[in-house]
Amino acid sequence: MKFEETHLSGSFIVDVDCMKDDRGWFARTYCKDEFKQIGFNKEWVQLNHSYTKKKGAVRGMHFQKFPFMEIKLVRCIAGKITDAIIDLREGSSTFLQYYQIELSAENKKMIYIPHGFAHGFQCLTNDCELLYHHSEYYKPGYEDGIRHNDPILTIDWKIDITDISERDLKHPLLDNSFRGLKTK
């Protein structure tokens, strides 16, 4: 695996090395020793799989609050998406900046998202499937979100939005009183 840090400290693009032969390919998508290189010493306690059927659909921008903040590792295993992460860490030098990457079944890239970030994505094709590794269990009452079209963030969704949940539409807009998420 190859780790490339994004401009948002602590977040990484993860490229897998595929071993190919006449049968197809094989790739390791996680190795505890290799992830230690980027400071990940926890364990994945939950693995989720999502399916989104409609091109243009947006899911996000989601996060969990302290003390149940989670680290995520996200991979697209069918279709193609634009994945977006936002640094919400109080006092971070990249506070409220976002990063986007195209993840697809074809490019096999993953994104490692540290705690204190919001996460979401937009489907660029129909029938997208994602796998999410989580370092914390889902905790109702500690989940939250930010509106996908918040004018403070100006996220550049690549295509017209065709579908979004009622829940995601109700996430609040940021205002000048938002100082970030406490991570400790």
Side-chain angles (χ1 to χ4, degrees):
M1 282 175 271
K2 296 177 194 118
F3 299 94
E4 178 186 339
E5 192 165 18
T6 75
H7 75 281
L8 303 177
S9 176
S11 67
F12 292 85
I13 301 162
V14 183
D15 258 324
V16 298
D17 294 319
C18 288
M19 294 178 276
K20 298 177 184 178
D21 64 21
D22 293 340
R23 299 167 294 171
W25 57 267
F26 172 86
R28 182 175 54 225
T29 59
Y30 177 72
C31 174
K32 188 174 186 173
D33 285 341
E34 290 185 48
F35 271 76
K36 282 181 184 177
Q37 296 172 27
I38 62 169
F40 182 74
N41 294 310
K42 295 187 174 217
E43 62 180 297
W44 301 119
V45 298
Q46 194 168 296
L47 178 63
N48 295 328
H49 186 161
S50 73
Y51 167 74
T52 309
K53 61 183 172 182
K54 196 170 181 184
K55 178 180 178 177
V58 168
R59 290 184 186 257
M61 302 297 297
H62 306 140
F63 60 92
Q64 281 194 169
K65 296 182 271 189
F66 183 82
F68 300 108
M69 291 180 155
E70 57 192 350
I71 298 168
K72 294 180 185 177
L73 180 64
V74 178
R75 179 172 181 232
C76 180
I77 61 169
K80 180 168 54 173
I81 66 162
T82 295
D83 201 90
I85 60 175
I86 305 165
D87 186 349
L88 301 177
R89 298 172 294 186
E90 181 181 54
S92 170
S93 63
T94 55
F95 178 61
L96 293 184
Q97 291 182 29
Y98 74 92
Y99 176 80
Q100 288 178 301
I101 184 172
E102 186 176 289
L103 301 178
S104 68
E106 186 177 315
N107 73 20
K108 298 173 188 53
K109 293 179 186 281
M110 298 182 287
I111 183 111
Y112 174 90
I113 309 162
H115 65 271
F117 278 62
H119 171 256
F121 66 90
Q122 182 181 42
C123 294
L124 300 177
T125 63
N126 289 328
D127 302 317
C128 291
E129 293 186 51
L130 274 66
L131 290 179
Y132 309 73
H133 293 72
H134 299 263
S135 66
E136 290 290 335
Y137 296 104
Y138 169 73
K139 296 286 186 188
Y142 289 88
E143 65 180 325
D144 210 342
I146 294 174
R147 190 95 52 85
H148 69 285
N149 59 351
D150 193 299
I152 289 176
L153 302 172
T154 63
I155 296 174
D156 178 22
W157 298 109
K158 302 302 181 193
I159 60 177
D160 289 341
I161 295 173
T162 59
D163 195 18
I164 191 163
S165 73
E166 284 296 318
R167 177 181 155 234
D168 287 348
L169 285 172
K170 292 179 181 174
H171 290 315
L173 293 172
L174 295 173
D175 62 30
N176 292 333
S177 68
F178 181 68
R179 297 289 175 235
L181 300 177
K182 294 189 183 307
T183 58
K184 295 179 185 179

